[in-house]
Amino acid sequence: MRNPFRTQTADAPPSTALVTDLIAALGARNVLWRPEDLIGYEYDATIERVRPDAVVFPETTDQVAAAVVLANAFGVPIVPRGSGTGLAGGTVPVRGGVVIALTRMNRIVEIDPRDRVAVVQPGVINLALQDACAKHGLLYAPDPSSQRICTIGGNIATNSGGPHTLAHGSTVNHVLGIEVVLPDGRVTFLGSRVPDAPGIDLRGLFVGSEGTLGIVTQVVVRLQRAPEAVRTMRSEEHTSELQSRFGI
C-alpha cells in the first residue's frame, strides 16, 4: 500500500482535476492553489523553502480523510502542517504535493476537571489550552517556547517540551489518546482516556513521528493541578561567598 506522507515525487504542478476534486470535497474557501497564495506555506521556522502544489484547510476529520484519499488517487505526497513554527523542517513540502493545514480545527472540545483530561483538536494553540485549563485550577504541562503560536498537533508531531519538561516530561508523557487519519484515509484511535492503557503503545510510537505515520485530528491530553503559588528568588551573593558557604 502506498504511503503518501512525503514519500512520492511531484515534479509536475497539480492537475486541474486534483484541485477540482479538493474543492468539491472541502469547499472553495478551504483550498489554495494559486502560486501567490502558496508562498506562505513553503517554509517553517527553518531556512528551507519549497512551494507546495496546493494547501487545504480541513475543518473535520472526514475532510482530512477525504484529502488523504484524493492525494492517494492522484499519487501526490501529503505534508501535515500546524502553525509552521517547527525547527526541523517537518512541514516543508520538499517533494511538492498537498499541504494539509490543520489550523481551522481549533476547538477545545472538552475539559474534564474531575478526571483531569481535555479533548482538543490539533489546531488548538498551546497557550489557549493553558489559559482554558487555568480557569479550572489545572495545567497542561508541555510549554514550548513558541507556545503563544504553536499548535497541540504540532507539539505531538515533534514531541515538544519546554521548561516543564525537566519536572514533568515532554508531550508524549501527557498525551493519553489520539484520533488519527492513516495513510490510506482510514480513521482510527490510539491510546485511551486513562493512563497506562493495556496493549502495545502505538500512541507513544505516533508522538514525535512528524506526520510520517498519519495525521492527528483529535487529542486526549492529561492535565494536572496548577501550583498554588510561584515564587522567583534571586541571590545577590558573589560566587566566592557561595563557594565558601557551601564548599563548592
Side-chain angles (χ1 to χ4, degrees), residues 135-199:
K135 298 175 183 178
H136 302 277
L138 298 172
L139 170 72
Y140 176 63
D143 56 341
S145 59
S146 57
Q147 69 174 165
R148 291 181 178 275
I149 186 173
C150 67
T151 63
I152 298 298
N155 295 166
I156 291 174
T158 57
N159 193 23
S160 299
H164 284 149
T165 298
L166 298 174
H168 304 294
S170 57
T171 296
V172 69
N173 302 112
H174 300 275
V175 172
L176 298 175
I178 45 178
E179 179 186 76
V180 301
V181 175
L182 298 174
D184 60 358
R186 289 179 299 157
V187 180
T188 191
F189 186 84
L190 308 176
S192 176
R193 280 182 64 105
V194 297
D196 302 321

Side-chain angles (χ1 to χ4, degrees), residues 8 10 50-53 76-79 93-99:
Q8 309 295 317
V50 181
R51 188 172 302 175
D53 297 319
V76 299
I78 295 170
V79 181
V94 294
R95 298 180 183 230
V98 178
V99 167

Side-chain angles (χ1 to χ4, degrees), residues 5 35 40 54 64 67 81 83 123 125 128 146 163 170 186-187 192 199 215 227 240 245:
F5 293 96
V64 174
R81 180 185 176 96
S83 293
I125 300 298
S146 57
S170 57
R186 289 179 299 157
V187 180
S192 176
I215 301 176
S240 58
R245 175 173 298 186

Side-chain angles (χ1 to χ4, degrees), residues 42-48 81 83-92 146:
E42 63 184 23
Y43 58 89
D44 56 8
T46 63
I47 61 174
E48 304 298 327
R81 180 185 176 96
S83 293
T85 60
L87 295 169
T91 61
V92 178
S146 57

